[in-house]
Amino acid sequence: MRLTISILFLVILLPSMTAGNSGFRQEMIRVALFRGVESVRLDGNGILATDEKGEPLRLSFPLEIAKTRGGISVNETVLRGLKVSAPVFVNVNGKGYRGVIEISAADKGLQVINELPLEDYLVGLINCEISSQWPMEAIKAQAVIARSYAIFQRDARKNAPYHLESTVMDQVYEGCDIEDSRAARGVKETAGEVLTFGGSTIQAFYHSNCGGHTEASENVWGYKLPYLPGVACRYCQNVNSYRWEQRIPLRKVETQLKAAGINISGLRDIRPGSRNKSGRVSELSLFGTRGKVTVSGVALRKALGYSIIKSTNFELRIDDGDVLFSGSGNGHGVGLCQWGAKQRAADGFDYREILSYYYPGTRLTALAVD
Ligand SMILES: [Zn+2]
């Protein structure tokens, strides 16, 4: 028993010791794995479980957890909250996660948060956001921007229960099962490095494919960031997903616009209006039976679905009661273009050059040691 405890202590102490040796600060990050789910199944080897106050619990695994009156039910025991960790990983709904898993009741269902060292999080993230088979300099660029984005969000959401969503709303994260040696190498070779502007870590937005020109931040989020002005990018054009098409019935477009709070009746025509510098549609006119409504390209894309209208860089025409969209690029277009970065890396640019291209005026800085 004593032996087991000292091994556990070693495992817990190890990450901070490693960080100390390599000379950068080891940050912790809190990621929301699930919100609003009805039940969660936990399993693993050598799991330590405590209640929300840190009192150890004797539980037999696997655990079936659901929301109940007054908290959560854990194999039929009612608790206010549950924290679990394991020497290597905890299995949550069939996927492995490092660090500590916290489960509590939310307004709807359960909330599952994963607190783990930032560098471990990044190793798992690489194969969610890109592929570790991409050139190493593209992996390193991805590691730096994901680290920068995470640090920025952590500071912005200091008092929130978690810092990051595990979806495209922030950064996709599906745990440690898809870690591999190339992902680990890209993270290690950039350990602790973030992009800064004027001494502060930047909000390092990025996206899949810019469609030829990245977008200025003010055109998507309404605020200007000096390091996100939008730059030309010729490097993402040889990708299958570069061009896309969608055919959507006008009636369906109208229903979805209404659901998003854009009131239009008897929609019969849509005309793209002004375009911004990157070529994306900034405004569209919607013609209905009671006149015209103007809507932004960003709002239209949100209403119809980000995976349906892949970017706001599109042309459209009306054909037999349907709207035919044809566009290029995938994503909001702000910051680094992942497919462009891949091509630049293949062309021999190193990750520093790739980053300074998509985030002009920024510096690569190591997180200071405490
Ligand atoms: Zn691009």
Side-chain angles (χ1 to χ4, degrees):
M1 192 61 194
R2 283 178 80 123
L3 184 68
T4 322
I5 289 169
S6 45
I7 287 169
L8 283 174
F9 267 110
L10 255 182
V11 170
I12 291 161
L13 284 174
L14 214 53
S16 52
M17 285 162 61
T18 326
N21 290 341
S22 52
F24 70 95
R25 193 169 69 215
Q26 180 63 282
E27 307 283 344
M28 299 297 283
I29 200 86
R30 292 173 61 80
V31 185
L33 301 182
F34 304 105
R35 288 192 301 134
V37 289
E38 268 182 31
S39 65
V40 170
R41 186 183 165 91
L42 283 188
D43 205 356
N45 292 320
I47 290 190
L48 288 179
T50 70
D51 66 12
E52 77 287 353
K53 290 181 192 138
E55 291 295 322
L57 297 168
R58 269 180 178 278
L59 298 166
S60 53
F61 290 85
L63 303 179
E64 295 288 346
I65 303 155
K67 188 180 175 178
T68 190
R69 263 173 95 93
I72 59 173
S73 68
V74 181
N75 287 1
E76 279 139 34
T77 305
V78 177
L79 298 169
R80 290 195 63 80
L82 175 71
K83 286 189 185 188
V84 299
S85 61
V88 184
F89 62 85
V90 179
N91 201 301
V92 185
N93 288 352
K95 283 183 186 168
Y97 292 90
R98 298 188 186 281
V100 177
I101 301 291
E102 298 177 12
I103 303 180
S104 57
D107 291 347
K108 278 185 191 168
L110 298 171
Q111 173 170 275
V112 182
I113 295 170
N114 185 195
E115 183 171 291
L116 77 164
L118 173 58
E119 302 296 311
D120 289 351
Y121 162 74
L122 294 172
V123 177
L125 174 141
I126 293 296
N127 276 315
C128 298
E129 282 289 347
I130 55 169
S131 161
S132 62
Q133 297 312 303
W134 284 18
M136 188 48 66
E137 296 303 307
I139 298 171
K140 286 159 75 174
Q142 178 66 51
V144 171
I145 57 178
R147 184 182 294 110
S148 307
Y149 186 88
I151 291 284
F152 184 95
Q153 294 300 70
R154 188 202 60 184
D155 293 347
R157 297 174 183 164
K158 237 182 231 138
N159 302 318
Y162 59 87
H163 308 128
L164 294 161
E165 305 274 352
S166 56
T167 67
V168 289
M169 292 309 290
D170 280 315
Q171 308 193 107
V172 181
Y173 182 67
E174 294 178 2
C176 60
D177 297 341
I178 49 175
E179 291 174 357
D180 63 30
S181 61
R182 283 180 60 82
R185 186 182 144 201
V187 172
K188 196 165 178 230
E189 289 185 4
T190 62
E193 288 179 1
V194 290
L195 286 175
T196 60
F197 187 91
S200 305
T201 303
I202 70 161
Q203 199 164 10
F205 290 112
Y206 57 89
H207 59 278
S208 175
N209 186 317
C210 77
H213 200 292
T214 70
E215 180 62 298
S217 61
E218 63 266 32
N219 292 333
V220 178
W221 286 287
Y223 56 90
K224 195 170 180 150
L225 291 168
Y227 49 84
L228 296 172
V231 296
C233 169
R234 290 176 281 108
Y235 318 103
C236 53
Q237 295 175 6
N238 298 326
V239 178
N240 285 341
S241 59
Y242 181 74
R243 294 206 182 281
W244 55 268
E245 289 197 345
Q246 282 294 348
R247 176 184 278 272
I248 313 173
L250 270 166
R251 212 179 286 170
K252 191 175 177 194
V253 172
E254 180 178 324
T255 310
Q256 289 192 246
L257 288 169
K258 277 183 179 152
I262 301 159
N263 230 333
I264 183 84
S265 293
L267 181 66
R268 57 188 163 81
D269 196 9
I270 306 177
R271 284 184 216 155
S274 55
R275 287 178 185 265
N276 54 40
K277 200 179 84 188
S278 72
R280 290 173 174 80
V281 176
S282 56
E283 267 188 2
L284 303 104
S285 299
L286 311 174
F287 295 90
T289 45
R290 282 186 235 145
K292 186 178 92 168
V293 172
T294 305
V295 64
S296 74
V298 172
L300 180 96
R301 178 167 178 243
K302 188 178 179 189
L304 299 184
Y306 293 128
S307 60
I308 306 294
I309 305 300
K310 289 189 174 150
S311 76
T312 54
N313 194 356
F314 57 74
E315 308 282 340
L316 67 83
R317 65 185 173 87
I318 308 297
D319 176 61
D320 198 20
D322 295 336
V323 192
L324 267 176
F325 291 92
S326 65
S328 46
N330 187 356
H332 50 62
V334 180
L336 179 138
C337 165
Q338 289 170 319
W339 284 94
K342 181 192 180 200
Q343 185 59 48
R344 298 213 95 198
D347 290 346
F349 290 93
D350 79 7
Y351 76 107
R352 291 180 188 83
E353 291 167 307
I354 295 169
L355 293 170
S356 66
Y357 184 79
Y358 290 106
Y359 306 93
T362 58
R363 291 183 57 178
L364 198 62
T365 315
L367 290 168
V369 182
D370 273 338

